[in-house]
Amino acid sequence: MSGKAGARYAKSLIDLSTEQNALEEIKNDMVLFEKIVDDNSELEAILKNPIVPLDKKAGILNDVFGNKVHKITNSFLKLVVNKGRSAILFDTAKQFIAQYNFIKGIVTAEVTSAIALTDASKTEIVSLVKKELGAKEVIVKEKVDEKLIGGFILKVGDKQFDASIASGLSKLKKEFAQGVA
């Protein structure tokens, strides 16, 4: 339920910030909000707790973000809290960023590899994803997982390409078990 509400609030905030020529600033505010809440589980718990009074929540958000964010963001945070919907703020920030990225043609490529990617590998992945998906910009998020032995797993949205050696060995093992190879 909160996912749909978060998406609607995010869409409204995108529309307002576009109308006010502040889309980039508000996007930066949402990135900051998401990071701070993500790094601070107590803040997320306070926002989701129905027992904490609304004015206390608004005060905490004002103390944390007051002079760091655009006036539209401040007004938006106050409005959502005063409507008793502070529990969806974190989801709204994530939805805002996702909708912004969609509008701007930005995709996130999650790459899990056995060792850290070289600059050349990153460049190759970015150009491949741009070509395949028609993206204007690609954000590469890297994870290192030594269990992969070698190769990589590339995930963009709901699509996944597994070029890891561990996956290849697993497939080969299944084929041998079935007597195919």
Side-chain angles (χ1 to χ4, degrees), residues 13 16-17 22 25-30 32-33 61 65-66 68-80 89 96:
L13 185 57
L16 176 64
S17 57
E25 295 95 63
I26 307 302
K27 189 272 293 183
N28 292 336
D29 292 348
M30 291 297 111
L32 175 69
F33 181 86
L61 287 176
F65 299 103
K68 294 179 184 157
V69 296
H70 194 279
K71 64 182 183 199
I72 291 173
T73 304
N74 261 331
S75 298
F76 177 77
L77 294 175
K78 286 177 190 160
L79 175 75
V80 174
L89 279 173
F96 183 99

Side-chain angles (χ1 to χ4, degrees), residues 11-22:
K11 171 85 170 83
S12 297
L13 185 57
I14 282 179
D15 292 346
L16 176 64
S17 57
T18 301
E19 185 181 296
Q20 298 292 320
N21 293 319

Side-chain angles (χ1 to χ4, degrees), residues 69-132:
V69 296
H70 194 279
K71 64 182 183 199
I72 291 173
T73 304
N74 261 331
S75 298
F76 177 77
L77 294 175
K78 286 177 190 160
L79 175 75
V80 174
V81 169
N82 289 334
K83 289 198 169 280
R85 303 296 309 261
S86 62
I88 68 165
L89 279 173
F90 186 58
D91 186 51
T92 300
K94 289 196 286 189
Q95 292 282 341
F96 183 99
I97 295 164
Q99 290 177 29
Y100 172 90
N101 287 346
F102 179 77
I103 291 167
K104 296 290 185 176
I106 301 169
V107 296
T108 300
E110 296 175 19
V111 182
T112 307
S113 58
I115 57 172
L117 295 174
T118 63
D119 288 340
S121 298
K122 282 184 198 172
T123 303
E124 196 174 323
I125 287 169
V126 167
S127 64
L128 174 75
V129 172
K130 279 183 176 179
K131 181 182 159 212
E132 290 297 317

